[in-house]
């Protein structure tokens, strides 16, 4: 039995421990915000946070997340109002939207570890995430504006909420 | 706004029928063309039945049916903008229903950048009809002339100041005969409040919360998951397979063979073996454990290197004429100083971010399908043929598409799901992996072109010969076809904009040893690459500025009719009086983009600007790219600028986003390694070896300007793509003097 939390809720898993977390989230928990794009850590569509850090859930076996706190796009904020999500709306980033949950999870993690990234650091931090619709210029701008709003503001993080509870 | 599917809506309409819902487009009273007259017109002459485009509910909510597929071009928003504007609906009372596949809608093939072109007029008429009905209902209620009643934002106001809401008028309107077409007064452009604005798209918030429903996110019906191993070679068949190890995997419930297709590929599944499991991971594991021996068939010899040589050989000798004026052949035979260039571009895969996926449930007398499809009517036909039911019995619900780019107008994946559901009696979701997508697509054609020209004493092109050869899309529909359909040649080849007294365009034949299909802007990609690169090469030979020379080469502002030059040209199916090939508009976008980029400014060493312009899908785009090439051959795209003249546009922000995205998509052709074959098998398998642009490849700024225009609406999704690779390669030449004639760029700058 492997135990971990997803968006603050405790989960127990007793299936094939090699199952990538992505399929557990999508097939079992029906949390479909995390997407399948490549299955080999090449595109970032499946990005979730494990203990607050962006990880590719398509290659992360359940066995590796024992005791961890997993956050998906559904848990990134209470109401879609994480500064990154707001910046995505402000800049009208998405086209088809398929890559965007992964992009936002990656961006949120990037800003959590580096609240004032330079242009080049944003490029480096985001180049593992593919957007086939080509929204890169807007993603870049949205991250810069999210960084501005986030400066000095506390926001909802499920995993720390979990700790408080 | 949340997504609504047609099924949910149907039951709503039924339950609320007693309350009286004003459904427009559902009937055609008498012989006179009434409200929905536009529906009867092109593109479908057979659309004589119900057309649920607009329904005004008693609570005042307006349901607008979007019968086109949403794949990031924000068509759901644009269609709603058009209807809501003309009907003077308040935006917060709009709900968009995704229409299922149904012939009654007319054309639903969301492809060819034509959703707005086909629908703007009829949707405006529909919206305006509702506005008229609201005014008429109020006028009758108040017993005043209709002209004293005006409608704004869900409210009818009489000149005396009294008002009634649309909700209050729904019931009255039900008994009013819709106006005849000539009574409908469309708004003036100056009165538009939604059309031609940058309003936020209706699905934006759902997407940002992770709530948008793509094909694999459909939870009802609860489906088993199938992953399929397909023949690696087109036309190949299963010789034998051993399912024992696969069946031993926990969660695998069945292993089923899918029959090989017959005749031309069409959109038939390739055949193969399906692993059916109760979760995706088990299905993927099961497929790994399966061993299959294949019979490769006649395409097992497909090798991209050899094929490239044969294409280049084809274009080195005379081929069939496509367009001719003057006597280019004789002049070029005599010319002592010609510019000669061969261009080559490999196969590409569309690689939409969401791999193909569909769920199907087979019942004896019908099949329900949920699919990320660009053309639900193609799903109806393809699924019907696969399971032996008439297409009317196939219900296709269209989910959001995680990108389409042409791949998802070919619904082999829906037919796979339906077949497996028929065999198992259970709902089945077929999930393509990225490997499946890269290795079993309908590929953008591999192509070679040969161009030669002689310049007159002023440096102008006096004679021009251009040959093209590529594996034709025609082969997907007609077994063994080697000649392109005219629909392929019209894409940037027949309509070459070069103004010269002597021009000869020819096309050669080439077999297709893979499934060939269209990819965003299709053969415009390689044709614009060759033509726009060649013009820049000629500019260099003539010692002229690239942009000035481009303008001179396309000649003065005028309307060109290429059919006067012994050519067949269908102008994207549009009337040439309404949508002429207008060199003035092409010149204008070139001048604009050059202006935006500060063309002519002094650049540091290693930097260069390149320009390219092209008309496709009846829209004009010019792009300038600025690059830096280091001494060691590292390429960096600094910035790019694009100007677009697409005639009347509906959502200005969407247009900008599409031009930015279309530019980056066009970059794929230049930087990706392409798709190559050996022994009939695709040599790439995922994003590590089929490289697509990433943020690190992309400029961080793509400035876009929309040319204000009152011309009829033209295409937006595709036209920014073809110009990008030539503008980029022209910039590279300006930066370092290296001319790229073969795509991808690869290591050529390092040599
Ligand atoms: S699906 Fe996980 S990185 Fe692509
Ligand atoms: S928005 Fe479509 S893949 Fe990024």
């Amino acid at each position: 039995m492997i135990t971990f939390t997803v968006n603050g809720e405790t989960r127990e898993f007793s299936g094939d421990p090699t199952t990538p977390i992505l399929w557990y989230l999508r097939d079992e928990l029906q949390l479909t915000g995390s997407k399948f794009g490549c299955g080999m850590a090449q595109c970032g569509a499946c990005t979730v946070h494990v203990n607050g850090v962006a990880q590719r859930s398509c290659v992360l076996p359940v066995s590796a997340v024992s005791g961890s706190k997993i956050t998906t796009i559904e848990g990134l904020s209470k109401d879609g109002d994480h500064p990154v999500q707001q910046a995505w709306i402000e800049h009208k980033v998405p086209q088809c939207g398929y890559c965007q949950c992964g992009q936002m999870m990656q961006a949120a993690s990037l800003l959590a570890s580096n609240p004032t990234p330079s242009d080049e650091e944003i490029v480096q931090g985001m180049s593992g995430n593919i957007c086939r619709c080509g929204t890169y210029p807007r993603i870049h701008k949205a991250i810069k504006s999210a960084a501005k709003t986030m400066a000095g503001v506390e926001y909802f993080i499920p995993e720390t909420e979990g700790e408080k509870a | 706004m949340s997504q609504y599917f047609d099924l949910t809506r149907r039951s709503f309409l039924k339950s609320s029928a007693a309350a009286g819902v004003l459904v427009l487009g559902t009937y055609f009273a008498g012989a006179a063309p009434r409200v929905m007259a536009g529906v009867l017109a092109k593109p479908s002459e057979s659309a004589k039945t119900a057309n649920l485009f607009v329904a005004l509910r008693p609570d005042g909510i307006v349901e607008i049916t979007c019968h086109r597929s949403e794949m990031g071009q924000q068509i759901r928003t644009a269609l709603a903008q058009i209807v809501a504007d003309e009907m003077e609906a308040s935006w917060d009372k709009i709900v968009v229903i995704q229409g299922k596949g149904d012939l009654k809608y007319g054309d639903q093939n969301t492809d060819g950048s034509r959703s707005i072109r086909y629908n703007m007029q009829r949707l405006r008429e529909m919206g305006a009809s509702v506005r008229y009905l609201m005014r008429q209902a109020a006028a009758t209620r108040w017993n005043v002339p209709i002209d004293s009643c005006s409608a704004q934002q869900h409210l009818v106001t009489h000149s005396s100041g009294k008002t009634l809401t649309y909700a209050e008028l729904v019931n009255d309107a039900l008994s009013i005969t819709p106006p005849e077409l000539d009574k409908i007064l469309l708004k003036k452009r100056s009165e538009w409040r939604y059309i031609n604005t940058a309003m936020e798209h209706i699905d934006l918030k759902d997407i940002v919360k992770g709530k948008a429903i793509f094909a694999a996110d459909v939870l009802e019906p609860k489906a088993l998951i199938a992953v399929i191993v397909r023949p690696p070679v087109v036309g190949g068949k299963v010789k034998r397979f051993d399912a024992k190890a696969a069946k031993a995997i926990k969660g695998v419930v069945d292993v089923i063979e899918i029959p090989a297709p017959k005749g031309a590929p069409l959109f038939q599944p390739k055949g193969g073996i399906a692993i059916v499991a109760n979760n995706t991971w088990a299905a993927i594991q099961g497929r790994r454990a399966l061993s299959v021996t294949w019979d490769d068939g006649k395409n097992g010899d497909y090798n991209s290197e050899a094929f490239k040589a044969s294409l280049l050989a084809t274009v080195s000798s005379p081929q069939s004429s496509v367009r001719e004026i003057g006597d280019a052949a004789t002049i070029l035979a005599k010319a002592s100083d010609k510019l000669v260039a061969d261009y080559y571009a490999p196969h590409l895969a569309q690689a939409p971010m969401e791999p193909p996926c569909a769920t199907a449930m087979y019942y004896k007398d019908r099949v329900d399908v949920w699919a990320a499809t660009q053309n639900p009517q193609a799903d109806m036909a393809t699924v019907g043929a696969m399971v032996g039911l008439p297409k009317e019995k196939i219900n296709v619900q269209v989910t959001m598409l995680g990108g389409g780019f042409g791949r998802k107008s070919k619904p082999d994946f829906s037919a796979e799901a339906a077949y497996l559901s028929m065999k198992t009696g259970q709902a089945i979701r077929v999930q393509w992996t990225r490997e499946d997508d890269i290795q079993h697509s309908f590929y953008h054609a591999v192509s070679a072109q040969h161009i030669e020209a002689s310049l007159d004493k002023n440096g102008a092109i006096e004679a021009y010969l251009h040959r093209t050869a590529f594996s034709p899309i025609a082969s997907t529909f007609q077994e063994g076809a080697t000649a392109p359909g005219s629909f392929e040649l019209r894409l940037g080849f027949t309509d070459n904009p070069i103004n010269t007294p002597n021009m000869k365009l020819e096309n050669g034949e080439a077999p297709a040893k893979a499934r060939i299909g269209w990819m965003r802007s299709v053969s415009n990609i390689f044709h614009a690459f060759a033509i726009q690169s060649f013009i820049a090469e000629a500019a260099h030979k003539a010692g002229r500025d690239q942009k000035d020379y481009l303008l001179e080469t396309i000649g003065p502002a005028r309307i060109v009719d290429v059919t006067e030059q012994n050519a067949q040209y269908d102008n994207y199916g549009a009337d040439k009086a309404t949508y002429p090939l207008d060199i003035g508009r092409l010149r204008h976008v070139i001048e604009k983009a050059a202006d935006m980029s500060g063309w002519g400014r002094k650049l540091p060493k290693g930097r260069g600007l390149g320009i390219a312009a092209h008309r496709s899908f009846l829209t004009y785009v010019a792009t300038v790219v600025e690059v830096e090439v280091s001494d060691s051959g590292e390429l960096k795209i600094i910035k790019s600028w694009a100007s677009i003249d697409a005639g009347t546009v509906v959502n200005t922000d969407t247009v900008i986003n599409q031009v930015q995205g279309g530019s980056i998509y066009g970059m794929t052709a230049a930087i990706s390694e392409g798709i190559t074959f050996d022994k009939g098998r695709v040599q790439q398998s995922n994003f590590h070896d089929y490289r697509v642009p990433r943020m690190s490849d992309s400029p961080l700024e793509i400035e876009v300007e929309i040319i204000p225009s009152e011309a009829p609406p033209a295409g937006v999704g595709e036209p920014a793509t073809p110009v990008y690779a030539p503008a980029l390669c022209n910039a590279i030449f300006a930066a370092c003097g290296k001319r790229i004639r073969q795509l991808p760029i690869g290591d050529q700058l390092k040599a």
Side-chain angles (χ1 to χ4, degrees), chain B residues 194-208:
Chain B
Y194 305 134
I195 302 173
N196 199 33
T197 68
M199 53 198 299
E200 182 178 302
H201 57 92
I202 55 169
D203 298 304
L204 180 59
K205 296 206 169 76
D206 274 359
I207 287 173
V208 164

PDB file of all heavy atoms in Angstrom, chain B residues 194-208:
ATOM      1  N   TYR B 194     -19.377  43.443 -30.992  1.00  0.00           N
ATOM      2  CA  TYR B 194     -18.541  42.264 -30.700  1.00  0.00           C
ATOM      3  C   TYR B 194     -17.615  41.923 -31.869  1.00  0.00           C
ATOM      4  O   TYR B 194     -16.455  41.558 -31.670  1.00  0.00           O
ATOM      5  CB  TYR B 194     -19.422  41.035 -30.404  1.00  0.00           C
ATOM      6  CG  TYR B 194     -20.430  41.231 -29.290  1.00  0.00           C
ATOM      7  CD1 TYR B 194     -21.753  40.821 -29.444  1.00  0.00           C
ATOM      8  CD2 TYR B 194     -20.055  41.803 -28.073  1.00  0.00           C
ATOM      9  CE1 TYR B 194     -22.683  40.970 -28.422  1.00  0.00           C
ATOM     10  CE2 TYR B 194     -20.975  41.961 -27.049  1.00  0.00           C
ATOM     11  CZ  TYR B 194     -22.297  41.556 -27.227  1.00  0.00           C
ATOM     12  OH  TYR B 194     -23.198  41.706 -26.226  1.00  0.00           O
ATOM     13  N   ILE B 195     -18.181  41.994 -33.063  1.00  0.00           N
ATOM     14  CA  ILE B 195     -17.371  41.641 -34.233  1.00  0.00           C
ATOM     15  C   ILE B 195     -16.230  42.645 -34.371  1.00  0.00           C
ATOM     16  O   ILE B 195     -16.428  43.838 -34.139  1.00  0.00           O
ATOM     17  CB  ILE B 195     -18.229  41.646 -35.521  1.00  0.00           C
ATOM     18  CG1 ILE B 195     -19.394  40.663 -35.376  1.00  0.00           C
ATOM     19  CG2 ILE B 195     -17.391  41.291 -36.750  1.00  0.00           C
ATOM     20  CD1 ILE B 195     -20.407  40.716 -36.522  1.00  0.00           C
ATOM     21  N   ASN B 196     -15.068  42.130 -34.749  1.00  0.00           N
ATOM     22  CA  ASN B 196     -13.893  42.979 -34.919  1.00  0.00           C
ATOM     23  C   ASN B 196     -13.403  43.592 -33.609  1.00  0.00           C
ATOM     24  O   ASN B 196     -12.905  44.702 -33.569  1.00  0.00           O
ATOM     25  CB  ASN B 196     -14.167  44.071 -35.972  1.00  0.00           C
ATOM     26  CG  ASN B 196     -12.881  44.663 -36.520  1.00  0.00           C
ATOM     27  OD1 ASN B 196     -11.872  43.971 -36.642  1.00  0.00           O
ATOM     28  ND2 ASN B 196     -12.898  45.949 -36.823  1.00  0.00           N
ATOM     29  N   THR B 197     -13.581  42.841 -32.509  1.00  0.00           N
ATOM     30  CA  THR B 197     -12.984  43.255 -31.238  1.00  0.00           C
ATOM     31  C   THR B 197     -12.094  42.111 -30.736  1.00  0.00           C
ATOM     32  O   THR B 197     -12.117  41.017 -31.300  1.00  0.00           O
ATOM     33  CB  THR B 197     -14.043  43.521 -30.151  1.00  0.00           C
ATOM     34  OG1 THR B 197     -14.653  42.260 -29.812  1.00  0.00           O
ATOM     35  CG2 THR B 197     -15.089  44.503 -30.619  1.00  0.00           C
ATOM     36  N   ALA B 198     -11.387  42.381 -29.663  1.00  0.00           N
ATOM     37  CA  ALA B 198     -10.461  41.381 -29.106  1.00  0.00           C
ATOM     38  C   ALA B 198     -11.073  40.677 -27.910  1.00  0.00           C
ATOM     39  O   ALA B 198     -10.377  40.303 -26.979  1.00  0.00           O
ATOM     40  CB  ALA B 198      -9.157  42.060 -28.712  1.00  0.00           C
ATOM     41  N   MET B 199     -12.378  40.480 -27.910  1.00  0.00           N
ATOM     42  CA  MET B 199     -12.997  39.943 -26.696  1.00  0.00           C
ATOM     43  C   MET B 199     -12.456  38.574 -26.295  1.00  0.00           C
ATOM     44  O   MET B 199     -12.033  37.781 -27.113  1.00  0.00           O
ATOM     45  CB  MET B 199     -14.522  39.953 -26.772  1.00  0.00           C
ATOM     46  CG  MET B 199     -15.144  39.307 -27.950  1.00  0.00           C
ATOM     47  SD  MET B 199     -16.860  39.875 -28.123  1.00  0.00           S
ATOM     48  CE  MET B 199     -17.564  39.324 -26.572  1.00  0.00           C
ATOM     49  N   GLU B 200     -12.486  38.358 -24.980  1.00  0.00           N
ATOM     50  CA  GLU B 200     -11.931  37.138 -24.405  1.00  0.00           C
ATOM     51  C   GLU B 200     -12.694  35.918 -24.911  1.00  0.00           C
ATOM     52  O   GLU B 200     -13.907  35.955 -25.040  1.00  0.00           O
ATOM     53  CB  GLU B 200     -12.084  37.249 -22.889  1.00  0.00           C
ATOM     54  CG  GLU B 200     -11.519  36.104 -22.114  1.00  0.00           C
ATOM     55  CD  GLU B 200     -11.692  36.341 -20.609  1.00  0.00           C
ATOM     56  OE1 GLU B 200     -11.195  37.370 -20.099  1.00  0.00           O
ATOM     57  OE2 GLU B 200     -12.347  35.509 -19.965  1.00  0.00           O
ATOM     58  N   HIS B 201     -11.975  34.830 -25.161  1.00  0.00           N
ATOM     59  CA  HIS B 201     -12.702  33.668 -25.678  1.00  0.00           C
ATOM     60  C   HIS B 201     -13.412  32.898 -24.578  1.00  0.00           C
ATOM     61  O   HIS B 201     -12.999  32.881 -23.436  1.00  0.00           O
ATOM     62  CB  HIS B 201     -11.849  32.797 -26.594  1.00  0.00           C
ATOM     63  CG  HIS B 201     -10.579  32.264 -26.039  1.00  0.00           C
ATOM     64  ND1 HIS B 201     -10.501  31.046 -25.434  1.00  0.00           N
ATOM     65  CD2 HIS B 201      -9.330  32.780 -26.030  1.00  0.00           C
ATOM     66  CE1 HIS B 201      -9.242  30.824 -25.086  1.00  0.00           C
ATOM     67  NE2 HIS B 201      -8.522  31.846 -25.431  1.00  0.00           N
ATOM     68  N   ILE B 202     -14.530  32.291 -24.984  1.00  0.00           N
ATOM     69  CA  ILE B 202     -15.466  31.756 -24.008  1.00  0.00           C
ATOM     70  C   ILE B 202     -14.934  30.559 -23.228  1.00  0.00           C
ATOM     71  O   ILE B 202     -15.444  30.262 -22.161  1.00  0.00           O
ATOM     72  CB  ILE B 202     -16.799  31.345 -24.677  1.00  0.00           C
ATOM     73  CG1 ILE B 202     -16.524  30.360 -25.814  1.00  0.00           C
ATOM     74  CG2 ILE B 202     -17.550  32.554 -25.199  1.00  0.00           C
ATOM     75  CD1 ILE B 202     -17.775  29.711 -26.339  1.00  0.00           C
ATOM     76  N   ASP B 203     -13.938  29.879 -23.737  1.00  0.00           N
ATOM     77  CA  ASP B 203     -13.442  28.693 -23.042  1.00  0.00           C
ATOM     78  C   ASP B 203     -12.183  28.964 -22.228  1.00  0.00           C
ATOM     79  O   ASP B 203     -11.635  28.055 -21.605  1.00  0.00           O
ATOM     80  CB  ASP B 203     -13.179  27.576 -24.063  1.00  0.00           C
ATOM     81  CG  ASP B 203     -14.447  27.165 -24.775  1.00  0.00           C
ATOM     82  OD1 ASP B 203     -15.418  26.799 -24.082  1.00  0.00           O
ATOM     83  OD2 ASP B 203     -14.502  27.238 -26.014  1.00  0.00           O
ATOM     84  N   LEU B 204     -11.751  30.210 -22.249  1.00  0.00           N
ATOM     85  CA  LEU B 204     -10.477  30.548 -21.610  1.00  0.00           C
ATOM     86  C   LEU B 204     -10.425  30.120 -20.135  1.00  0.00           C
ATOM     87  O   LEU B 204      -9.465  29.490 -19.699  1.00  0.00           O
ATOM     88  CB  LEU B 204     -10.243  32.066 -21.746  1.00  0.00           C
ATOM     89  CG  LEU B 204      -8.966  32.630 -21.147  1.00  0.00           C
ATOM     90  CD1 LEU B 204      -7.742  31.985 -21.767  1.00  0.00           C
ATOM     91  CD2 LEU B 204      -8.902  34.148 -21.343  1.00  0.00           C
ATOM     92  N   LYS B 205     -11.475  30.441 -19.380  1.00  0.00           N
ATOM     93  CA  LYS B 205     -11.414  30.164 -17.940  1.00  0.00           C
ATOM     94  C   LYS B 205     -11.466  28.664 -17.662  1.00  0.00           C
ATOM     95  O   LYS B 205     -10.788  28.172 -16.760  1.00  0.00           O
ATOM     96  CB  LYS B 205     -12.532  30.913 -17.217  1.00  0.00           C
ATOM     97  CG  LYS B 205     -12.329  32.430 -17.354  1.00  0.00           C
ATOM     98  CD  LYS B 205     -12.964  33.228 -16.229  1.00  0.00           C
ATOM     99  CE  LYS B 205     -12.500  34.677 -16.259  1.00  0.00           C
ATOM    100  NZ  LYS B 205     -13.138  35.482 -17.330  1.00  0.00           N
ATOM    101  N   ASP B 206     -12.253  27.933 -18.451  1.00  0.00           N
ATOM    102  CA  ASP B 206     -12.273  26.471 -18.287  1.00  0.00           C
ATOM    103  C   ASP B 206     -10.897  25.879 -18.537  1.00  0.00           C
ATOM    104  O   ASP B 206     -10.444  24.989 -17.821  1.00  0.00           O
ATOM    105  CB  ASP B 206     -13.251  25.836 -19.296  1.00  0.00           C
ATOM    106  CG  ASP B 206     -14.673  25.809 -18.756  1.00  0.00           C
ATOM    107  OD1 ASP B 206     -14.882  26.261 -17.613  1.00  0.00           O
ATOM    108  OD2 ASP B 206     -15.565  25.335 -19.485  1.00  0.00           O
ATOM    109  N   ILE B 207     -10.254  26.374 -19.571  1.00  0.00           N
ATOM    110  CA  ILE B 207      -8.926  25.856 -19.920  1.00  0.00           C
ATOM    111  C   ILE B 207      -7.950  26.118 -18.782  1.00  0.00           C
ATOM    112  O   ILE B 207      -7.199  25.239 -18.363  1.00  0.00           O
ATOM    113  CB  ILE B 207      -8.428  26.492 -21.235  1.00  0.00           C
ATOM    114  CG1 ILE B 207      -9.196  25.921 -22.425  1.00  0.00           C
ATOM    115  CG2 ILE B 207      -6.923  26.269 -21.415  1.00  0.00           C
ATOM    116  CD1 ILE B 207      -8.914  26.599 -23.749  1.00  0.00           C
ATOM    117  N   VAL B 208      -8.008  27.318 -18.253  1.00  0.00           N
ATOM    118  CA  VAL B 208      -7.043  27.706 -17.227  1.00  0.00           C
ATOM    119  C   VAL B 208      -7.271  26.935 -15.918  1.00  0.00           C
ATOM    120  O   VAL B 208      -6.350  26.710 -15.144  1.00  0.00           O
ATOM    121  CB  VAL B 208      -7.090  29.244 -17.044  1.00  0.00           C
ATOM    122  CG1 VAL B 208      -6.421  29.666 -15.778  1.00  0.00           C
ATOM    123  CG2 VAL B 208      -6.431  29.911 -18.252  1.00  0.00           C
TER     124      VAL B 208
END
